[in-house]
Each structure stands twice: as structure tokens, then as C-alpha cells.
Amino acid sequence: MEFLKKNIKRRNLLKLLWVAPFALLYNYLTPKVKKDKVITIPVKSIPYDSVYLIKDKQIGILNRENGITVLSIACTHLGCILNVENDKFICPCHGSMFELNGSVIKGPALKPLKHIKYTIENNNIIINL
């Protein structure tokens, strides 16, 4: 104990006592789940003129007349996962609305939804996260 009293200054000890609970809380609240880096979905599994949601990956895939579009379905306001109603993405948290192309219809979100790059190989949609 004498060693600690001589070598640790009071100010440094107070800093440590101030930061330690936040570090432990951050470590506790941070999810420890490994995310898949690639998602592969058969093109046939996405019906024409519809939206296919993968909520656990926060992705929406649209198969429309102008082709396939892949969007993030995390609201650009605070990150809530969007639902699809009446051909619109709707945020259940604060009511933001987005067109199916990702543009904002109604706030509080100000930014459009993020388009995600994908490729089609052997009739499969391959999305790299």
C-alpha cells in the first residue's frame, strides 16, 4: 500500500476512478455479435414490384421495373428500422417517410436512405456489407 501512495498521484487516481465506470459500461453495452460480411439472395426469391426486407441486416431490396435497388432501411434521423406501408418506407420511431427510391418525403429525417452496392452473379444478388 505504501508503494501505491508514493507512486500514484491523487489527481491521476481521481481520473482513473472517473473513467473506469464509463469504460466498463461501454464494454457491457457493446454487442459482441459478429456480422456476416456478405449476403447472397437468389434473384427469384424477390417478387417483382415488391420490397424484400432483411431487418436484422438493415437492408431493403426492391425489384421494380427499373431493376433491382438495395437500400439501407435504417432511418437517417436516429437509425430506427423502417417499415414498408403503402409503397413508402415509414419510421416507427418519429414518423419520417421515404419514397421507395430512398428520397425523403417527410421529416424529421433530412438525408435520403443510403444506396448499397451489389452485384448479380449466377442469378444471385451478392451484397457486400
Side-chain angles (χ1 to χ4, degrees):
M1 197 67 173
E2 284 297 318
F3 175 77
L4 290 176
K5 287 182 181 178
K6 290 179 182 177
N7 293 324
I8 296 179
K9 294 180 182 177
R10 181 175 179 221
R11 180 171 294 190
N12 291 337
L13 180 62
L14 290 175
K15 285 181 188 177
L16 179 65
L17 292 174
W18 172 251
V19 172
F22 293 107
L24 292 173
L25 185 63
Y26 175 79
N27 194 22
Y28 176 74
L29 294 176
T30 305
K32 307 291 187 266
V33 178
K34 290 185 179 180
K35 294 184 178 181
D36 295 334
K37 301 286 182 182
V38 177
I39 298 172
T40 303
I41 300 165
V43 174
K44 294 178 186 176
S45 67
I46 302 172
Y48 179 74
D49 203 28
S50 67
V51 181
Y52 183 81
L53 299 179
I54 308 172
K55 289 196 173 191
D56 63 329
K57 303 293 182 192
Q58 301 181 358
I59 291 176
I61 304 170
L62 291 83
N63 188 0
R64 312 281 291 197
E65 58 194 37
N66 57 351
I68 292 174
T69 305
V70 180
L71 295 168
S72 168
I73 57 168
C75 181
T76 57
H77 176 233
L78 290 177
C80 295
I81 303 301
L82 302 174
N83 297 319
V84 178
E85 296 175 19
N86 301 325
D87 286 339
K88 294 176 181 61
F89 289 112
I90 299 176
C91 178
C93 298
H94 300 106
S96 294
M97 296 175 72
F98 300 88
E99 292 283 352
L100 290 181
N101 65 9
S103 62
V104 178
I105 299 172
K106 178 183 144 200
L110 300 174
K111 296 178 184 175
L113 298 176
K114 178 182 171 188
H115 285 256
I116 298 173
K117 293 181 182 179
Y118 68 94
T119 57
I120 296 179
E121 295 177 12
N122 299 325
N123 289 323
N124 290 318
I125 300 169
I126 299 172
I127 304 166
N128 292 309
L129 301 175

